[in-house]
């Protein structure tokens, strides 16, 4: 037992364990991944709290504290608190870990070769997975290969740095392995970043050591490399070449990124003060979507991230996010030239900040962990040591345990109950499991939505009014917790329709059925299915003009919406003779067969023929 404790007490071992788990665990969106990372980080952080006699305070720890207190404050104003809490928990435990991290810059620099080794192993695994595609499909290390390319790109820069320090050995092998990793990832941003910052490393090393005449030749050579390497990439067949060609010639969404970036000022205009909340861009994106003229449908694709960390930070944190970016930029620029530029921490930070212009990566656990590590090594110079009394230790320990329980343990237990409820067919057992889930995690809207669906089913079978009103109550809770989650509005309207099927009608009933759908339209104005549902309800209450207007709204949003076409033709003969109408439908269905969308997918619903379609 003593050997084991001494083994894990080695700062290198704990760092390697955390980093390896974050990088090599395949299911990076699962509760196991996040909880496992938290267990490792919290365990080592608590052990350090127990053993430390003093704590180091530096400019890094102060800046880190300001930023994370700012994130905590904004979480109270988040659109959907649960999502913000999950991301905030990741940021806080990583920040706490590095605040308590090693107080010797030398010991931190000694960890960088281990980072290089871990990344090189990762590149080897990704290369093998590309050679054996079945492995990659079953257990991808990252769903987005762009992230894999960025990681391999860091490996290339680390290899170049150590080779220039004349540490040869296996760094040549690592350089080749990670370069191949960048190429097979087809990540254009990683490729361009590697070229740009490798040349910056060369210039930073040699420009300070050579005579003026030789510096000119080195500069000319660096510029030549900057031009020649991309040209060779386009002339020699390789995965990167095919990626560039696909983006330029075939990718229908390559220019849509500009429109995604245009969503930022639209969201900022509505939430300029506090933003929509951490990790909530995907929550509100349906309200700010745009017409996609190059895809198979106008609004089928929801841009769930901005493809730019700076824009995402601004939309999620408001005016404070702009100030935060300016503060971080000022601190980095001020310290960038205070010492020699030939510093691998500086280069890696600049490389990651460059990648953040084109992709969302800094707030992923692995990248945030490395970014904070290199930022600490870069910024932390003068450290003031202060006593670390028991009361402060206890307070910090309680905070870390609280974060673990609220951000990891509670969602994991709740997720377990949700999964178990999804696998059982007994409605009573299912409902009891959901009740347990909501006790453990009262902020997850999906629990209330699923409880309401069970109550709706029970109401259909029994006409129990208690089930009806309790279902409405559950849906109201979900709508309050996340107003942008439209499923509760649709279920609420469906519950009133079920009430209508009981052969009960009263004067304002159509308004009660339509009201939740109108709320849903506020948050999903480009959803054609909501508009057609409204049209069907208006028709049921013999409000034909309103029904036609809503069906036309659905048709105008998606001209190939088969359900809207059939509705307009059947009830209003909108498209004229049956033969030309059928020809139009056949063309759309032919397109649908080629696309072969999955069941319940946006396109599947869009191209689906109504059950009464054959009786037109």
């Amino acid at each position: 037992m003593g050997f084991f404790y001494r083994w894990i007490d080695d700062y290198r071992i704990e760092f390697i364990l955390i980093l390896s788990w974050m990088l090599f665990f395949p299911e990076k969106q699962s509760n196991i991944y996040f909880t496992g990372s938290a267990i490792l980080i919290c365990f080592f952080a608590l052990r350090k709290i127990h053993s430390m006699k003093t704590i180091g305070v530096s400019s890094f720890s102060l800046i880190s504290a300001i930023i994370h207190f700012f994130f905590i404050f904004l979480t109270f104003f988040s659109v959907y608190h649960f999502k913000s809490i999950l991301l905030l928990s990741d940021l806080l435990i990583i920040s706490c870990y590095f605040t308590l991290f090693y107080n010797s810059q030398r010991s931190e620099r000694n960890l960088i070769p281990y980072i290089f080794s871990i990344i090189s192993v990762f590149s080897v695994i990704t290369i093998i997975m590309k050679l054996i595609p079945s492995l990659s499909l079953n257990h991808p290390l990252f769903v987005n290969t762009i992230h894999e390319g960025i990681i391999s790109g860091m490996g290339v820069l680390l290899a170049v740095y150590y080779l220039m320090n004349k540490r040869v050995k296996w760094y040549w092998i690592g350089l080749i392995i990670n370069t191949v990793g960048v190429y097979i990832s087809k990540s254009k941003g990683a490729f361009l970043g590697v070229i740009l910052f490798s040349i910056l490393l060369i210039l930073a090393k040699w420009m300070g050591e050579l005579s003026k005449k030789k510096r000119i030749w080195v500069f000319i050579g660096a510029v030549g490399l900057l031009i020649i390497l991309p040209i060779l990439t386009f002339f020699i067949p390789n995965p990167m070449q095919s990626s560039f060609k696909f983006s330029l010639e075939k990718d229908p969404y390559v220019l849509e990124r500009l429109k995604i970036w245009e969503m930022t000022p639209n969201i900022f205009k509505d939430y300029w003060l506090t933003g929509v909340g951490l990790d909530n861009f995907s929550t509100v994106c349906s309200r700010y979507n745009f017409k996609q003229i190059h895809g198979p449908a106008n609004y089928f694709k929801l841009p769930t991230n901005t493809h730019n960390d700076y824009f995402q930070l601004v939309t999620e944190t408001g005016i404070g996010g702009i100030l935060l970016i300016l503060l971080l930029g000022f601190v980095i620029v001020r310290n960038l030239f205070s010492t020699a530029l030939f510093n691998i921490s500086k280069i890696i930070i600049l490389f990651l900040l460059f990648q953040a212009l084109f992709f969302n990566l800094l707030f992923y656990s692995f990248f945030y962990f490395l970014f904070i590590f290199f930022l600490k090594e870069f910024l932390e110079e003068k450290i003031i040591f202060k006593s670390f009394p028991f009361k402060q230790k206890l307070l910090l320990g309680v905070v870390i345990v609280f974060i673990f329980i609220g951000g990891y343990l509670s969602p994991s237990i709740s997720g377990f109950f949700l999964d178990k409820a999804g696998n059982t067919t007994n409605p009573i057992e299912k409902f009891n499991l959901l009740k347990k889930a909501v006790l453990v995690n009262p902020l997850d809207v999906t629990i209330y939505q699923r409880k309401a669906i069970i109550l709706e089913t029970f109401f259909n079978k029994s006409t129990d009014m208690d089930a009806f009103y309790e279902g409405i109550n559950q849906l109201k809770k979900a709508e309050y917790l996340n107003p942008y989650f439209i499923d509760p509005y649709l279920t609420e309207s469906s519950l009133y329709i079920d009430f209508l099927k009981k052969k009960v009608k009263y004067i304002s009933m159509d308004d009660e059925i339509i009201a939740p759908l109108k709320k849903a339209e506020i948050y999903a104005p480009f959803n054609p299915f909501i508009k057609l549902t409204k049209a069907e309800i208006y028709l049921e209450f013999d409000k034909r003009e309103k029904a036609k207007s809503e069906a036309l709204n659905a048709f105008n949003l998606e001209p190939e919406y088969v359900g809207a076409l059939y509705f307009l033709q059947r009830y209003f003969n909108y498209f004229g003779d049956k033969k030309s109408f059928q020809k139009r439908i056949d063309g759309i269905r032919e397109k649908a067969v080629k696309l072969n969308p999955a069941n319940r997918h946006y396109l599947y619903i869009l191209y689906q023929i109504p059950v009464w379609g054959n009786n037109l």
Side-chain angles (χ1 to χ4, degrees), residues 409-421 424 427-444 446-448 450-451 454 474:
L409 188 60
S410 170
S412 293
I413 296 172
S414 173
F416 169 77
F417 288 132
L418 280 170
D419 291 341
K420 198 171 179 181
T424 182
I428 297 174
E429 184 183 352
K430 189 188 293 280
F431 195 79
N432 287 333
L433 286 167
L434 292 174
K435 286 172 68 176
K436 292 178 181 178
V438 82
L439 285 173
V440 177
N441 181 15
L443 297 178
D444 189 348
T446 58
I447 303 173
Y448 301 99
R450 288 171 66 172
K451 286 174 73 177
I454 295 172
Q474 294 297 320

Side-chain angles (χ1 to χ4, degrees), residues 83-92 278-279 316 363:
K83 285 194 75 174
S84 294
I85 288 169
L86 292 180
L87 178 58
L88 180 65
S89 299
D90 290 343
L91 306 186
L92 287 177
L278 289 176
D279 203 28
E316 293 181 351
F363 293 102

Side-chain angles (χ1 to χ4, degrees), residues 320-334:
I322 296 176
L323 297 176
L324 181 59
I325 292 169
L326 293 174
L327 171 65
L328 188 62
F330 170 76
V331 170
I332 288 174
V333 170
R334 189 190 68 177

Side-chain angles (χ1 to χ4, degrees), residues 373-437:
F373 168 80
F374 282 109
L375 195 65
K376 181 178 189 295
E377 203 278 329
F378 167 41
L379 294 179
E380 195 167 66
E381 293 179 358
K382 296 179 180 178
I383 302 174
I384 300 171
F385 293 98
K386 295 191 173 184
S387 62
F388 198 23
F390 175 76
K391 288 183 179 179
Q392 291 182 12
K393 288 185 176 185
L394 182 62
L395 177 62
L396 188 55
V398 169
V399 168
I400 290 174
V401 172
F402 178 77
I403 294 170
F404 176 75
I405 292 172
Y408 300 95
L409 188 60
S410 170
S412 293
I413 296 172
S414 173
F416 169 77
F417 288 132
L418 280 170
D419 291 341
K420 198 171 179 181
N423 294 326
T424 182
T425 55
N426 186 323
I428 297 174
E429 184 183 352
K430 189 188 293 280
F431 195 79
N432 287 333
L433 286 167
L434 292 174
K435 286 172 68 176
K436 292 178 181 178

Side-chain angles (χ1 to χ4, degrees), residues 452-465 467-468 491 494-502:
I453 290 172
I454 295 172
L455 290 165
E456 180 187 17
T457 304
F458 183 71
F459 172 70
N460 279 331
K461 293 178 179 179
S462 66
T463 320
D464 187 325
M465 291 306 298
F468 175 83
T491 306
S494 177
L495 257 171
Y496 282 111
I497 292 172
D498 293 335
F499 195 79
L500 175 64
K501 290 175 182 177
K502 306 295 182 183

Side-chain angles (χ1 to χ4, degrees), residues 27-223:
E27 303 293 338
K28 288 187 170 54
Q29 297 301 318
S30 66
N31 282 330
I32 296 174
Y33 173 74
F34 290 110
T35 305
S37 301
I39 288 171
L40 287 172
I41 293 173
C42 291
F43 170 75
F44 289 121
L46 290 171
R47 184 177 58 80
K48 194 158 286 293
I49 289 172
H50 176 262
S51 61
M52 288 171 65
K53 305 297 182 186
T54 59
I55 188 168
V57 178
S58 65
S59 57
F60 165 80
S61 58
L62 291 174
I63 292 170
S64 177
I66 292 169
I67 290 172
H68 290 90
F69 274 119
F70 169 66
F71 287 154
I72 292 170
F73 172 75
L74 289 183
T75 300
F76 289 99
F77 304 96
S78 174
V79 167
Y80 182 26
H81 295 88
F82 181 52
K83 285 194 75 174
S84 294
I85 288 169
L86 292 180
L87 178 58
L88 180 65
S89 299
D90 290 343
L91 306 186
L92 287 177
I93 62 165
I94 290 172
S95 171
C96 287
Y97 176 74
F98 281 110
T99 300
L100 302 167
F101 203 44
Y102 323 105
N103 296 320
S104 164
Q105 279 195 320
R106 182 177 178 183
S107 65
E108 291 171 14
R109 290 191 187 115
N110 288 339
L111 290 170
I112 297 177
Y114 293 99
I115 296 173
F116 172 73
S117 300
I118 291 169
I119 288 175
S120 298
V121 173
F122 173 83
S123 294
V124 170
I125 293 172
T126 56
I127 293 168
I128 293 171
M129 283 183 164
K130 289 295 184 295
L131 295 173
I132 309 173
S134 58
L135 291 175
S136 181
L137 289 172
N138 293 331
H139 299 288
L141 292 180
F142 281 89
V143 175
N144 194 335
T145 56
I146 289 172
H147 292 146
E148 295 177 354
I150 294 170
I151 293 167
S152 295
M154 285 191 284
V156 172
L157 294 175
L158 288 165
V160 170
Y161 173 79
Y162 283 116
L163 285 170
M164 293 183 70
N165 275 327
K166 298 181 180 178
R167 296 188 184 183
V168 184
K169 295 184 179 178
W170 88 289
Y171 287 103
W172 279 109
I173 300 172
L175 177 65
I176 294 168
I177 289 170
N178 287 296
T179 301
V180 173
V182 171
Y183 269 85
I184 65 170
S185 73
K186 301 182 181 181
S187 173
K188 300 175 284 294
F191 170 74
L192 295 173
V194 163
I195 293 175
L196 179 64
F197 290 100
S198 292
I199 290 171
L200 184 60
L201 263 176
I202 294 169
L203 290 173
K205 173 70 174 176
W206 287 343
M207 295 296 274
E209 297 180 357
L210 302 176
S211 63
K212 186 176 180 180
K213 187 176 181 181
K214 289 183 179 180
R215 287 179 195 172
I216 295 172
W217 284 109
V218 168
F219 180 76
I220 293 171
V223 172

